[in-house]
């Protein structure tokens, strides 16, 4: 995609020796697909799981394994390649990072190509640990991860719960490659894990208002914006609950996902969950009207239906008890955009409103990009240019975190 944060970025991928090394192929493939330049360094034990040929073919670059590569032997072409690598990179990802590699880097060892480059880095470091559950939860490993965060400012993409190669099931599986790339994008865009301790409730998607068991009244919202907000908030450290109307978007397993269909179900879910959250971001395109009566049987052609009687749905934002909560609304407009958004901000008693106009090219429903204006209840206003919905989500979170 044009303007992709990853495009043109220089990324070192360090691969250490665990079964999750096979997933490194997907990381390289996706980084390259998105325009990043990738150089891979493997530890000697990573060679037991995957070949350098695979990773050099996918990255289009030589893979370094030996701390003293061939070109440097016998004093020929003797370069300080590790410094060249460390100063070249915009980001280093270590995925999988075994407990051995984590222990070495957190204690200052530089005994192979990967740990040597890691010790000389100037750019952000992203660590995706992978180990069997008892190894992962070992207090020494936990302490080493803490040291990596504290001493090196490393970002850790935590392991996931699930089926492990040992046959056990528990914590320690390497994070999904897609999540690692999302986190890489976050690091490269300069967003920090600044939402730790926050509890954020997000709504997404359309609502469907049933006419009969077959038909409904809906709208064209895909849910993309809300799902990207939930994802970005989670990656930045928040505990996230996502209430979604019908949408085909996927959320990380760590995000509590509540699926609803109609405006009244969404209202109930928001009311129930707002109590345990500090922030609500209401990005759902909630139906304003629903059929007065829902037919229990399919309405037949012979019934000669000529009109459907509608009644207003409750306005969720207007009905809520907002005391002590940060509330963010959305306004999707086609005309008099700024005025309508400012009116909604006041009328619905919001802290902030995110305006997007259907008149902006590549913005709004169904697109992967969006162009927004953020308006705060202080009158402060900020226009953002067209960005991916992920970057747009992060810009919204940065603004709300300043409230
Ligand atoms: N919203 C809501 N409950 C509704 C309708 C909308 O909470 N029944 C929320 C939306 O999630 C959004 C904000 O109100 O955050 C503005 O929604 P929008 O559809 O733009 O505005 P409406 O109030 O529905 O007004 P209109 O459709 O006339 O523009």
């Amino acid at each position: 995609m044009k303007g992709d944060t990853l495009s043109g970025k220089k990324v070192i991928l360090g691969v250490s020796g665990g079964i999750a090394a096979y997933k490194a192929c997907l990381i390289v493939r996706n980084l390259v697909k998105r325009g990043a330049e990738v150089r891979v360094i493997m530890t000697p034990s990573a060679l037991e799981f995957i070949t350098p040929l695979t990773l050099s073919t996918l990255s289009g670059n030589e893979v370094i394994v030996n701390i003293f590569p061939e070109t440097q032997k016998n004093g020929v072409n003797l370069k300080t390649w590790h410094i060249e690598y460390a100063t070249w990179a915009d980001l280093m990802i270590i995925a999988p990072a075994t407990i051995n590699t984590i222990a070495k880097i957190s204690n200052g060892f530089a005994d192979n190509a990967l740990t040597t480059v890691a010790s000389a880095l100037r750019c952000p470091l992203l660590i995706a640990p992978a180990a069997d559950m008892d190894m992962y939860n070992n207090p020494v490993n936990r302490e080493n991860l803490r040291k990596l965060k504290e001493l090196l400012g490393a970002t850790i993409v935590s392991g996931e719960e699930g089926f492990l190669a040992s046959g056990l099931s528990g914590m320690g599986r390497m994070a999904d490659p897609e999540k690692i790339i999302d986190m890489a994008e976050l690091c490269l865009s300069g967003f920090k894990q600044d939402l730790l301790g926050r509890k954020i409730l997000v709504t997404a998607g359309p609502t469907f208002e049933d006419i009969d068991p077959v038909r409904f009244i809906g709208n064209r919202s895909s849910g993309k914006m809300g799902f990207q907000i939930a994802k970005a908030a989670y990656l930045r450290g928040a505990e996230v609950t996502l209430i979604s109307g019908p949408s085909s978007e996927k959320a990380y397993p760590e995000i509590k996902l509540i699926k609803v269909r109609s405006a009244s179900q969404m209202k109930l879910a928001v009311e129930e969950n707002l109590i345990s959250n500090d922030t609500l971001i209401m990005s759902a395109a909630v139906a304003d009207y629903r059929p007065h009566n829902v037919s229990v049987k399919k309405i037949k052609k012979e019934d000669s239906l000529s009109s459907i009687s509608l009644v207003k749905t409750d306005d969720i934002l207007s009905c809520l008890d907002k005391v002590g909560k940060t509330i963010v609304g959305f306004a999707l407009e086609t005309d008099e955009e700024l005025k309508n958004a400012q009116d909604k901000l006041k009328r619905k008693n919001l802290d902030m409103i995110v305006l997007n106009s259907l008149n902006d090219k590549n913005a709004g429903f169904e697109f992967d990009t969006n162009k927004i204006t953020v308006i705060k209840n202080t009158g402060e206003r900020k226009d953002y240019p067209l960005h991916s919905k992920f970057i747009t989500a992060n810009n919204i979170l940065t603004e709300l975190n300043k409230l």
Side-chain angles (χ1 to χ4, degrees):
M1 190 181 74
K2 202 170 150 249
D4 190 323
T5 321
L6 293 174
S7 175
K9 292 292 188 302
K10 298 170 183 140
V11 181
I12 297 174
L13 177 67
V15 182
S16 55
I19 183 61
Y22 79 91
K23 293 187 193 165
C25 301
L26 289 172
I27 300 176
V28 177
R29 180 77 196 97
N30 287 338
L31 286 171
V32 169
K33 214 161 112 186
R34 290 184 58 183
E37 197 183 331
V38 184
R39 294 181 182 179
V40 178
I41 306 175
M42 298 172 77
T43 63
S45 40
L47 300 181
E48 301 289 332
F49 296 93
I50 180 173
T51 72
L53 179 64
T54 313
L55 294 173
S56 64
T57 307
L58 290 170
S59 66
N61 281 316
E62 176 195 8
V63 171
I64 295 215
V65 180
N66 295 317
I67 193 163
F68 302 109
E70 281 301 307
T71 46
Q72 294 188 26
K73 280 197 178 147
N74 310 319
V76 179
N77 191 17
L78 193 67
K79 290 187 295 185
T80 49
W81 71 270
H82 57 300
I83 302 301
E84 194 270 317
Y85 261 56
T87 49
W88 169 85
D90 295 313
L91 176 73
M92 180 169 184
I93 306 172
I94 305 182
T98 59
I99 64 161
N100 190 33
T101 291
I102 291 166
K104 285 181 186 178
I105 300 172
S106 60
N107 286 286
F109 283 82
D111 65 341
N112 62 33
L114 190 158
T115 52
T116 303
V117 169
S119 72
L121 279 186
R122 289 184 182 177
C123 65
L125 175 61
L126 185 60
I127 307 262
D132 211 79
M133 54 191 285
D134 297 313
M135 297 168 81
Y136 192 94
N137 289 322
N138 182 309
V140 179
N141 184 47
R142 296 221 158 256
E143 173 62 12
N144 288 337
L145 285 171
R146 193 194 59 77
K147 274 166 75 178
L148 285 178
K149 271 201 255 183
E150 243 176 66
L151 299 178
L152 299 182
T155 302
I156 315 292
V157 199
S158 297
E160 293 177 353
E161 299 260 351
F163 179 73
L164 300 164
S166 61
L168 295 175
S169 192
M171 183 65 166
R173 211 162 69 169
M174 187 174 85
D176 194 75
E178 219 176 285
K179 194 196 279 175
I180 295 171
I181 290 176
D182 289 337
M183 197 60 125
E185 189 174 354
L186 202 76
C187 291
L188 285 164
S189 318
F191 296 110
K192 302 267 176 282
Q193 288 195 293
D194 52 359
L195 299 176
L196 283 159
R198 281 195 84 140
K199 291 181 162 199
I200 301 184
L201 179 62
V202 184
T203 67
T207 63
F208 287 174
E209 310 302 324
D210 289 339
I211 299 168
D212 70 8
V214 181
R215 293 94 169 191
F216 59 86
I217 298 172
N219 62 63
R220 289 174 52 196
S221 167
S222 60
K224 283 182 183 178
M225 194 64 244
F227 274 72
Q228 293 297 326
I229 293 171
K231 177 167 101 176
Y234 168 78
L235 291 175
R236 286 169 71 164
E239 200 179 302
V240 182
T241 303
L242 174 61
I243 300 170
S244 171
S247 163
S248 54
E249 294 296 302
K250 302 260 178 302
Y252 294 151
E254 296 85 356
I255 293 172
K256 183 180 167 196
L257 179 64
I258 300 167
K259 287 254 178 195
V260 297
R261 180 171 174 84
S262 63
S264 66
Q265 288 171 358
M266 186 169 278
K267 178 173 180 256
L268 202 66
V270 170
E271 284 167 348
E272 279 173 5
N273 285 279
L274 186 58
I275 305 158
S276 53
N277 284 277
D278 54 66
T279 301
L280 168 66
I281 306 174
M282 193 75 199
S283 77
V286 187
D288 291 328
Y289 291 91
R290 63 174 173 80
H292 186 43
N293 291 309
V294 183
S295 170
V296 283
K297 281 204 245 153
K298 184 182 175 194
I299 299 168
K300 304 297 284 176
K301 226 180 285 174
E302 296 79 61
D303 294 339
S304 305
L305 182 74
S306 58
S307 65
I308 299 170
S309 162
L310 300 174
V311 286
K312 269 192 179 162
T313 58
D314 288 336
D315 190 295
I316 302 173
L317 276 176
S318 302
C319 298
L320 292 172
D321 177 6
K322 305 187 183 76
V323 180
K325 311 285 179 189
T326 302
I327 309 283
V328 178
F330 269 68
L332 178 70
E333 305 293 340
T334 55
D335 54 282
E336 293 196 86
E337 290 95 332
L338 208 54
K339 183 187 166 299
N340 284 333
Q342 278 161 339
D343 283 353
K344 281 178 193 168
L345 176 81
K346 274 213 187 90
R347 185 163 26 98
K348 303 195 184 205
N349 187 21
L350 308 174
D351 296 294
M352 189 172 110
I353 195 155
V354 179
L355 162 67
N356 38 180
S357 165
L358 271 188
N359 297 322
D360 285 323
K361 227 177 127 215
N362 295 330
F365 288 153
E366 291 158 10
F367 290 107
D368 288 321
T369 47
N370 208 355
K371 187 166 177 284
I372 57 160
T373 296
V374 169
I375 311 163
K376 296 185 181 169
N377 61 358
T378 51
E380 194 189 327
R381 200 183 104 193
K382 187 160 177 183
D383 298 317
Y384 282 92
L386 192 75
H387 279 301
S388 72
K389 284 192 170 165
F390 182 57
I391 298 296
T392 301
N394 275 292
N395 287 331
I396 293 167
L397 293 169
T398 299
E399 291 298 340
L400 85 81
N401 209 22
K402 287 193 260 176
L403 285 169

